[in-house]
């Protein structure tokens, strides 16, 4: 399981998956034998071609992350095109999934440091503060009195 997590972490997995799922949802609404299906736009080849290309772009984003910018721009254009060709973009759900997936893939940056949690930042800040406290204990006595007054004021406000 950790191998999959590591593999997934080195690519815009969520963006590609959302784009592919959005295309699949639009295709399913095109094929559904529902009387609710709207007959808006071109119902011919374009109605099936755009969601199919959305699925292909989503898979290419996952398996070829080096070209994610091109595929995500193509994916957002295809998603927006389904508004006219495929039942209002799969009743808007597929269109939104494709648009969000494309923007996630576009904004993904490779080889980033993982974000640190707030608790880790607070612990590090407290460790730095405690390391500096013994060195300047006499100078900080007057500063701590004013700091405690400001902390009381902040506690009253917030």
């Amino acid at each position: 399981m950790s191998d999959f997590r590591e593999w997934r972490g080195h690519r815009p997995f969520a963006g590609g998956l959302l784009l592919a799922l959005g295309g699949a949802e639009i295709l399913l609404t095109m094929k559904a034998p529902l009387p609710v299906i709207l007959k808006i736009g071109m119902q011919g080849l374009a109605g099936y071609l755009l969601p199919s290309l959305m699925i292909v772009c989503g898979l290419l984003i996952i398996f070829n992350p080096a070209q994610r910018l091109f595929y995500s721009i193509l994916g957002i254009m295809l998603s927006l095109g389904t508004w006219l060709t495929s039942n209002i973009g799969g009743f808007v759900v597929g269109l939104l999934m494709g648009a969000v997936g494309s923007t996630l893939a576009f904004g993904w940056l490779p080889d980033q440091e993982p974000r640190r949690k707030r608790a880790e930042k607070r612990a590090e800040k407290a460790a730095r503060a405690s390391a500096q406290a013994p060195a300047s204990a006499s100078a900080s006595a007057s500063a701590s009195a004013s700091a405690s007054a400001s902390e009381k004021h902040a506690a009253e406000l917030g």
Side-chain angles (χ1 to χ4, degrees):
M1 187 70 166
S2 66
D3 292 336
F4 175 70
R5 238 182 215 174
E6 184 177 336
W7 177 81
R8 187 184 70 189
H10 294 291
R11 57 198 70 246
F13 187 79
L17 184 66
L18 274 175
L19 182 58
L21 288 176
E25 195 272 336
I26 293 170
L27 271 178
L28 287 176
T29 59
M30 291 291 295
K31 291 290 212 179
L34 300 173
V36 180
I37 292 180
L38 305 173
K39 298 295 182 188
I40 294 177
M42 302 166 275
Q43 292 294 319
L45 180 65
Y48 294 102
L49 184 65
L50 293 180
S52 299
L53 288 175
M54 283 174 64
I55 294 172
V56 169
C57 282
L59 293 175
L60 285 171
I61 285 172
I62 292 172
F63 293 111
N64 189 8
Q67 301 298 321
R68 73 187 183 286
L69 296 176
F70 173 72
Y71 296 136
S72 63
I73 291 171
L74 186 61
I76 192 79
M77 291 185 344
L78 291 168
S79 296
L80 294 175
T82 62
W83 178 263
L84 299 174
T85 62
S86 306
N87 292 324
I88 308 177
F91 302 116
V92 184
V93 175
L95 183 140
L96 288 177
M97 287 173 67
V100 169
S102 295
T103 54
L104 283 174
F106 189 84
W108 179 79
L109 295 174
D111 300 329
Q112 256 189 333
E113 292 279 331
R115 293 182 69 179
R116 294 184 354 210
K117 296 181 179 176
R118 286 184 184 174
E120 292 174 7
K121 290 179 183 178
R122 287 183 190 139
E124 183 179 311
K125 188 176 179 180
R128 273 192 263 139
S130 66
Q132 292 176 355
S136 62
S138 62
S140 67
S142 62
S144 66
S146 65
S148 65
S150 65
E151 287 174 4
K152 287 179 185 177
H153 181 66
E156 290 172 0
L157 293 176

